Amino acid sequence: MSIQVNRLADPVVRDFVVAVNAHDTGAFNALLTPGATMADDGSDRDIADWTDREIFSSNGHMDIESESDGGRTLLVTFRNDTWGEMRTKWHFTVDGAGKISRFETGQA
């Protein structure tokens, strides 16, 4: 059973999921701080390259299974055209201005 995106506790994380699922790169990039960082399975990656490859050019989609840490950590069924469907965990660091300064994802 999944959580409806509009019910996610953290508004910035909610907007992130909406942007990913809509393949809206403009809205996605607007959520990030300048110099934002990310990691995939524990390895730092270039955000622009990774998100283009894993999300935007491959029809990435997030179905939220559960949330914790006030909505800053998500358990997600993620799917894209490259890898198919996988269970992943996402953790977000949000700054005081409501922008994402870092996110980490990986197999759950």
Side-chain angles (χ1 to χ4, degrees), residues 36-70:
T37 61
M38 62 124 348
D40 181 14
D41 282 328
S43 297
D44 278 11
R45 306 282 187 207
D46 176 83
I47 286 183
D49 175 65
W50 189 91
T51 56
D52 179 62
R53 189 177 66 254
E54 300 292 336
I55 297 172
F56 299 114
S57 69
S58 61
N59 296 306
H61 188 86
M62 301 173 81
D63 286 319
I64 313 306
E65 291 183 30
S66 64
E67 65 178 344
S68 57
D69 189 30

Side-chain angles (χ1 to χ4, degrees), residues 77-93:
T77 300
F78 183 80
R79 67 180 179 276
N80 67 22
D81 293 345
T82 304
W83 305 108
E85 189 172 282
M86 65 196 90
R87 197 163 188 238
T88 57
K89 187 174 187 175
W90 297 68
H91 178 74
F92 299 88
T93 303

Side-chain angles (χ1 to χ4, degrees), residues 3 7-10 64-71 73-75:
I3 298 174
R7 294 188 181 268
L8 291 174
D10 188 282
I64 313 306
E65 291 183 30
S66 64
E67 65 178 344
S68 57
D69 189 30
T73 300
L74 304 177
L75 190 58

